């Protein structure tokens, strides 16, 4: 198991037009600025469309554009209604919140940073989605939490870990080993474009796949 205490990537997805960013970089040198200051995340579709929620900035964060998020949720359209979701490296919870806005039934969020987890709980309260039936925030080491988070498989899992930390493969293994996905589940993976996607189980199939100069993102269906 790889501890996340030394490898956490983010606590926020701050606003950076035209993105609902997870990470904010200096335009000159690519370094983070304004760590731990306030930012915002914007929900782009569904019942909370246009809502801007406060989040924290932290070191090592990168932007996730609204365009990429819109592509992802177009892919998820056949799966999202009433789905049980898991946002493994939640940060601000932007992906899980977007899923709930688009009428997913429930989302579990995992976040290592205590302040980010607390902010996420506050945002769920603002959205009136803070009851256990709708959402739950689990603060701590993601790989450790996956070993006991649920006895029921999820319909949708978001896996967007820190870059350059070799966390994609162990996270996918944990989903499989702990029976957190089943036939019909879909797993979203986002990783740096320089990383080779780990070998998948024989019954996992990539059904959507896109790549930019910086990252590769894909949707995988479990059969």
């Amino acid at each position: 198991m790889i501890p996340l205490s030394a490898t956490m990537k983010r606590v926020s997805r701050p606003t950076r037009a035209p993105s609902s960013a997870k990470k904010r970089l200096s335009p000159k040198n690519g370094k983070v600025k304004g760590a731990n200051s306030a930012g915002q995340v914007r929900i782009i579709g569904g019942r909370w469309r246009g809502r801007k929620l406060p989040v924290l900035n932290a070191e090592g964060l990168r932007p996730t554009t609204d365009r990429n998020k819109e592509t992802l949720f177009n892919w998820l359209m056949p799966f999202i209604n009433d789905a049980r979701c898991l946002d493994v490296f939640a940060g601000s919870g932007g992906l899980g919140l977007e899923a709930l806005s688009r009428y997913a039934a429930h989302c579990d969020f995992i976040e290592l940073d205590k302040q980010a987890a607390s902010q996420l709980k506050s945002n769920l309260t603002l959205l009136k989605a803070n009851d256990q039936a709708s959402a739950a925030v689990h603060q701590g080491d993601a790989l450790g939490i996956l070993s006991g988070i649920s006895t029921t498989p999820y319909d949708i899992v978001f896996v967007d870990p820190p870059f350059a930390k070799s966390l994609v493969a162990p996270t996918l293994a944990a989903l499989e080993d702990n029976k957190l996905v089943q036939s019909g589940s879909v797993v979203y993976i986002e990783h740096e474009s320089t990383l080779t996607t780990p070998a998948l189980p024989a019954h996992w199939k990539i059904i959507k796949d896109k790549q930019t100069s910086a990252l590769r993102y894909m949707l995988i269906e479990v059969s």
Side-chain angles (χ1 to χ4, degrees):
M1 178 181 296
I2 300 174
L4 296 190
S5 58
T7 61
M8 189 189 77
K9 76 167 180 178
R10 65 187 182 292
V11 300
S12 68
R13 291 176 178 161
T15 299
R16 182 187 180 195
S19 68
S20 54
K22 285 179 291 186
K23 300 188 174 182
R24 185 168 68 188
L25 307 180
S26 163
K28 292 185 178 180
N29 56 23
K31 294 182 180 179
V32 175
K33 62 180 182 178
N36 297 321
S37 61
Q40 290 182 324
V41 63
R42 186 172 73 91
I43 297 175
I44 64 171
R47 55 183 163 166
W48 302 321
R49 181 178 181 179
R51 286 291 297 269
K52 295 179 181 179
L53 300 168
V55 297
L56 303 176
N57 295 335
E59 295 183 6
L61 305 188
R62 70 181 185 278
T64 294
T65 66
D66 283 356
R67 178 177 295 179
N68 289 355
K69 186 184 284 189
E70 187 162 1
T71 296
L72 166 60
F73 281 91
N74 285 340
W75 290 350
L76 290 176
M77 213 177 298
F79 308 98
I80 197 73
N81 196 48
D82 289 330
R84 291 187 72 253
C85 302
L86 172 63
D87 193 347
V88 180
F89 300 92
S92 67
L95 296 180
L97 291 172
E98 192 74 36
L100 290 173
S101 181
R102 296 172 188 246
Y103 302 99
H106 177 85
C107 188
D108 281 312
F109 299 84
I110 303 176
E111 174 52 43
L112 178 64
D113 185 84
K114 290 182 180 180
Q115 287 184 308
S118 177
Q119 183 65 70
L120 179 51
K121 290 178 183 179
S122 296
N123 286 342
L124 287 166
T125 299
L126 285 175
L127 296 171
K128 297 181 172 58
N130 57 321
D131 60 283
Q132 288 293 313
S134 297
V137 179
H138 306 264
Q139 188 272 316
D141 180 298
L143 295 180
I145 289 171
L146 288 175
S147 65
I149 191 171
S150 178
T151 57
T152 304
Y154 292 93
D155 301 304
I156 299 171
V157 181
F158 302 103
V159 179
D160 180 12
F163 279 5
K165 301 300 182 182
S166 301
L167 289 169
V168 175
T171 301
L172 300 184
L175 295 176
E176 176 81 351
D177 294 345
N178 293 294
K179 298 179 171 56
L180 295 175
V181 291
Q182 63 182 355
S183 179
S185 298
V186 291
V187 180
Y188 172 72
I189 302 174
E190 182 176 319
H191 62 71
E192 59 269 44
S193 59
T194 55
L195 177 70
T196 299
T197 302
L200 302 175
H203 57 292
W204 291 34
K205 179 182 179 182
I206 297 174
I207 57 174
K208 300 288 185 180
D209 188 6
K210 291 196 74 172
Q211 184 163 330
T212 69
S213 60
L215 60 88
R216 184 181 182 192
Y217 53 109
M218 69 196 72
L219 194 66
I220 297 167
E221 186 169 16
V222 179
S223 59

